[in-house]
Amino acid sequence: MPGDNDHMLLAAARSGDHRSFERLVRNHQARVFSLALRMLGNRADAEDVLQETFIALYKNLDRFQERSKLSTYLYRLAANFSLMKLRQAKAGGARIEPLDAGAEIASTLPTPLERAEAADLRKQLERSLMGLAAAERAVVVLRDVQGIDGREVARVLGISLPAMKSRLHRGREALRRMMLDRTDPEDSP
Amino acid sequence: MSTKHDRTGSHHCRRMAAVFSDYLDRDLREAICRKVDEHLKQCPDCRLYLDTLSRTITLYRGLGGIRVPKNVESRLFATIRLAAEKNKRKKRATR
Ligand SMILES: [Zn+2]
């Protein structure tokens, strides 16, 4: 079980074994990076959040109680750092660049045409995500993209289950509309 | 009514739409679930709405994870090592 593995690695990392901490990072970095990239829509900020998250884990190794799963804890850190960054960007008037994560997506060997179509679709989906309010985006990314259980999502974001559900509903509904607007034949020339 | 289900439908449909997200997550009490099923049987608008909502969610579920690029990983490890060094020095200093 990955949780058992986390437990052993955490214990070793606490006693100062740097290799074990690096293994923990390797086991969890993709989740953290995916969440940050989809929350922020640009690679530089996502990398910042990735670093902030694991530095925070490192500094809190002794305090992290393992009452919650490590993945929940990391998601919480990453979500909070991402939301903080978005708030700062809003205050500073920064622009959000379009996401271009194409090369790193795990691919299953499609044809070039399929790959191009899939890349277009992915860009469209990611652009729509950036059109959501940050609080809704966080819920949709965690629940639907990362595939986390609803109760877990509520725990990660520190909100009630009903609040999580209503954000999820609003987010999904907004994305549905954006999809329809894009595929609406009336919109094409 | 348009495929966008723009809430011009009946009051009943609007109330249904509010629970469709839970319906798709199979997170509704059985009694409510049955009500939704009943309504769907006789309401093509809501069937269409639910279908487009479900397709949207499926697309996002298929988006998949993003691997951390090697150079990003290297910088992350370097940053952590730096924090570890600082930590060691601090411990030594307070001894
Ligand atoms: Zn209806």
Side-chain angles (χ1 to χ4, degrees):
Chain A
M1 239 175 83
D4 286 347
N5 196 19
D6 281 349
H7 178 71
M8 283 180 336
L9 290 172
L10 275 168
R14 277 195 193 104
S15 65
D17 179 15
H18 196 73
R19 291 258 159 257
S20 294
F21 189 75
E22 286 191 349
R23 283 200 35 210
L24 273 178
V25 174
R26 278 209 183 85
N27 290 346
H28 291 276
Q29 63 180 0
R31 285 190 198 129
V32 170
F33 191 61
S34 297
L35 171 63
L37 196 49
R38 280 173 177 143
M39 279 304 292
L40 297 163
N42 84 78
R43 196 167 282 261
D45 285 345
E47 184 174 347
D48 282 350
V49 167
L50 180 71
Q51 294 191 356
E52 285 167 333
T53 298
F54 283 106
I55 293 295
L57 173 66
Y58 182 81
K59 286 185 176 160
N60 289 294
L61 268 180
D62 292 326
R63 259 189 286 164
F64 172 60
Q65 292 293 313
E66 293 192 58
R67 257 172 291 145
S68 64
K69 282 196 294 182
L70 180 61
S71 58
T72 307
Y73 181 69
L74 289 170
Y75 272 135
R76 188 182 306 145
L77 288 171
N80 285 337
F81 284 132
S82 298
L83 290 168
M84 223 188 297
K85 255 199 163 19
L86 286 168
R87 253 174 263 137
Q88 287 163 357
K90 215 175 179 183
R95 273 217 347 252
I96 289 163
E97 310 155 27
L99 182 58
D100 182 23
E104 282 79 14
I105 304 278
S107 68
T108 47
L109 300 176
T111 68
L113 177 65
E114 279 172 346
R115 216 173 318 167
E117 283 172 354
D120 275 353
L121 175 63
R122 197 172 49 231
K123 269 192 194 140
Q124 203 183 95
L125 293 173
E126 284 167 344
R127 221 173 293 136
S128 296
L129 264 184
M130 293 313 292
L132 295 181
E136 288 164 14
R137 181 159 70 250
V139 172
V140 171
V141 169
L142 287 165
R143 181 75 184 91
D144 288 337
V145 183
Q146 308 282 114
I148 306 171
D149 170 81
R151 265 159 245 282
E152 190 89 14
V153 174
R155 233 172 278 140
V156 165
L157 296 173
I159 57 178
S160 68
L161 191 60
M164 190 287 298
K165 283 185 176 184
S166 87
R167 284 183 203 181
L168 183 64
H169 173 67
R170 277 198 309 260
R172 284 170 166 179
E173 164 60 15
L175 292 172
R176 188 193 72 92
R177 272 170 186 272
M178 286 188 252
M179 282 306 289
L180 286 177
D181 285 342
R182 289 235 163 75
T183 52
D184 206 330
E186 288 161 2
D187 289 350
S188 39
Chain B
M1 195 176 172
S2 86
T3 53
K4 281 176 194 156
H5 197 100
D6 26 24
R7 322 262 162 166
T8 48
S10 73
H11 177 65
H12 199 47
C13 289
R14 264 174 282 152
R15 274 181 46 200
M16 283 292 147
V19 298
F20 279 157
S21 198
D22 280 344
Y23 180 82
L24 290 170
D25 288 341
R26 294 170 209 283
D27 199 10
L28 278 184
R29 267 177 295 139
E30 223 186 289
I32 303 175
C33 203
R34 239 177 287 134
K35 270 188 195 156
V36 175
D37 284 333
E38 282 301 306
H39 180 80
L40 285 171
K41 262 185 219 155
Q42 31 155 319
C43 181
D45 283 342
C46 277
R47 277 206 300 275
L48 194 58
Y49 175 92
L50 191 68
D51 181 57
T52 53
L53 186 65
S54 159
R55 277 166 202 264
T56 305
I57 296 168
T58 303
L59 285 172
Y60 278 93
R61 283 194 182 138
L63 211 46
I66 300 167
R67 270 188 229 132
V68 178
K70 269 287 161 216
N71 57 340
V72 174
E73 186 187 277
S74 306
R75 285 195 291 268
L76 172 60
F77 282 4
T79 308
I80 292 168
R81 223 165 276 140
L82 210 67
E85 292 294 326
K86 237 190 243 168
N87 201 36
K88 258 187 219 154
R89 252 179 282 138
K90 212 164 67 187
K91 267 186 191 161
R92 242 178 272 142
T94 51
R95 217 176 270 162

